[in-house]
Amino acid sequence: MTVQVNPGFHYPPRSKYYLAGMYRDQLEKGKDALYSDLKACYGIHILVGTLFDKPEEEGFWFNHYAMLNTRTHKALVNHWHLYYIELEKYLRSLEKKAEARPLNELEEWTLFIGTIQDNDRPLDERINHNPMIREVYKMIETFTKDDHLREKYRVQEEFIRVQKTNEYMTEKMRQEIIRLGHEVEHFMAEQERITAENKAALLAQERERAEKEAIMKKAIHGMRNQGLPDEDIATMLGISEEVVKGS
């Protein structure tokens, strides 16, 4: 069983790798081990943060994965099982319930583990009827009476807070990077649009200049054919005599 504060994007393959290792190591313990000796393996992962964060997954805080046939959904040997319990997601879903009470023992333990226990206060009445939870709560109470152990517990709580803060800041930074990325994309698109417009304007100006130049040359050649000297052509067209001679 693993308790993870901040699972991260790499956690699913990591948890599958651990389960594969557990399954494989069953045969490494003895040279005469047979495949028929293999037993089912269960990976239980309790996550403080959220791993499955798509909107359509918000209501599913408990996830069970196994190796199944994609057509019939029947298990292959039924030896591989991965369970993910997302504490924060469960607490959010609990707040949305009308009575905000756990419905079964799994939910009771999830509420107990997902809530920081303060021994100065009585155990939450919603889970106080569970004898195993009461026993664990008493163990925590005994544990925290010792100054040294209590300090270790406080440090662990502080570590979780720091991890959650880092997680929040990382997500905030990621969102800011995405926002800035969109702004940069918009800026680049706008620059490309302006550049394209300027290029189109320059091409239009070049075409207009070429058309005027062609008309001017045609007029000059026509006047020359009529026997007019370059000096008179320049005067009539309002251009320099050098331009006339160069045409």
Side-chain angles (χ1 to χ4, degrees):
M1 183 176 71
T2 300
V3 178
Q4 190 74 19
V5 175
N6 186 9
F9 299 110
H10 65 281
Y11 198 78
R14 174 181 166 191
S15 57
K16 289 173 65 179
Y17 178 80
Y18 288 161
L19 188 67
M22 290 170 55
Y23 195 67
R24 181 198 62 240
D25 290 347
Q26 292 183 67
L27 296 186
E28 292 182 350
K29 295 178 181 179
K31 295 182 179 179
D32 299 328
L34 304 174
Y35 288 117
S36 57
D37 296 331
L38 289 169
K39 301 294 188 297
C41 287
Y42 301 86
I44 302 174
H45 301 267
I46 300 176
L47 311 173
V48 175
T50 299
L51 178 61
F52 307 103
D53 56 359
K54 294 182 179 179
E56 62 269 22
E57 298 172 319
E58 176 60 24
F60 301 96
W61 55 271
F62 174 72
N63 289 280
H64 174 204
Y65 287 85
M67 187 178 290
L68 305 176
N69 184 295
T70 58
R71 178 175 55 83
T72 64
H73 295 169
K74 290 184 178 180
L76 179 66
V77 187
N78 203 28
H79 272 191
W80 285 40
H81 297 272
L82 278 170
Y83 299 89
Y84 299 93
I85 298 173
E86 297 169 289
L87 300 178
E88 283 187 350
K89 189 185 290 184
Y90 171 72
L91 295 177
R92 289 198 300 269
S93 67
L94 185 64
E95 292 175 357
K96 297 177 182 178
K97 293 181 180 179
E99 297 183 1
R101 302 185 69 88
L103 300 178
N104 50 51
E105 190 170 6
L106 175 61
E107 289 195 20
E108 290 171 357
W109 278 105
T110 304
L111 175 59
F112 179 72
I113 297 172
T115 307
I116 295 179
Q117 302 301 324
D118 185 354
N119 292 123
D120 293 331
R121 299 179 181 178
L123 182 62
D124 192 322
E125 57 88 16
R126 294 175 293 180
I127 53 178
N128 193 36
H129 64 277
N130 188 313
M132 292 299 296
I133 291 180
R134 286 203 308 270
E135 183 176 345
V136 172
Y137 183 77
K138 288 180 181 178
M139 291 173 60
I140 294 175
E141 187 177 18
T142 302
F143 172 84
T144 53
K145 284 180 180 178
D146 184 288
D147 290 340
H148 177 66
L149 294 179
R150 185 167 56 249
E151 178 62 17
K152 289 180 65 176
Y153 182 70
R154 186 197 66 77
V155 170
Q156 176 65 15
E157 285 185 332
E158 181 63 22
F159 171 75
I160 292 176
R161 292 191 187 98
V162 171
Q163 287 290 90
K164 293 303 298 177
T165 301
N166 290 340
E167 180 182 352
Y168 169 77
M169 294 304 297
T170 300
E171 177 62 19
K172 188 174 181 181
M173 186 179 298
R174 187 179 72 86
Q175 293 294 338
E176 182 66 14
I177 290 173
I178 292 175
R179 185 187 66 80
L180 292 175
H182 290 162
E183 289 186 359
V184 170
E185 288 178 0
H186 176 73
F187 175 78
M188 294 301 294
E190 185 67 14
Q191 290 301 307
E192 289 179 2
R193 184 188 65 79
I194 294 173
T195 300
E197 289 181 354
N198 291 339
K199 186 176 181 180
L202 289 173
L203 289 174
Q205 291 176 3
E206 181 63 23
R207 284 196 299 269
E208 184 179 358
R209 186 195 64 77
E211 289 174 358
K212 289 181 178 179
E213 185 176 345
I215 293 172
M216 184 71 69
K217 286 183 178 180
K218 186 175 181 180
I220 293 172
H221 292 160
M223 291 179 179
R224 277 179 178 165
N225 290 337
Q226 293 176 6
L228 294 175
D230 289 349
E231 182 179 357
D232 292 346
I233 295 174
T235 301
M236 294 176 66
L237 296 178
I239 58 178
S240 66
E241 191 174 340
E242 288 76 10
V243 173
V244 175
K245 290 179 180 180
S247 300

